[in-house]
Amino acid sequence: MVDPLVSVVIPTYNCAGFLRQALESVLAQTYQPFEIIVIDDGSTDDTATVLKAYRDRLRVVSQAPRRGPAAARNLGIRQAAGEL
């Protein structure tokens, strides 16, 4: 039996100070396989800089600035390939 792909959607807006911790938490999980999708809601802080360090381990999707967390989550779900 093949384990199902889990999609982890992380919406962010000016959360550079917390983003690294959130990403490291997901990456530390023992379950495989998973994908990480970060939806940037128009951040103006150092979010892009933090995300560059993880570019080979996640997908970043930008949306029109300040559409809100619900719109960011919905966009992430539409982008997700996982069964869970």
Side-chain angles (χ1 to χ4, degrees):
M1 183 172 119
V2 177
D3 291 330
L5 176 67
V6 172
S7 299
V8 179
V9 176
I10 302 174
T12 186
Y13 173 72
N14 288 345
C15 292
F18 302 102
L19 193 52
R20 184 171 281 111
Q21 182 179 1
L23 293 170
E24 289 296 331
S25 176
V26 176
L27 293 169
Q29 300 302 306
T30 58
Y31 181 87
Q32 293 287 332
F34 63 85
E35 66 175 347
I36 303 171
I37 305 167
V38 177
I39 308 298
D40 186 2
D41 194 21
S43 296
T44 57
D45 64 354
D46 290 332
T47 293
T49 303
V50 172
L51 292 173
K52 282 182 187 176
Y54 296 92
R55 69 178 153 250
D56 61 334
R57 295 181 276 178
L58 54 83
R59 185 167 16 139
V60 178
V61 179
S62 297
Q63 71 174 10
R66 299 304 302 137
R67 293 198 53 219
R73 280 189 295 273
N74 289 336
L75 177 57
I77 290 167
R78 287 193 301 275
Q79 296 290 318
E83 296 175 52
L84 303 173

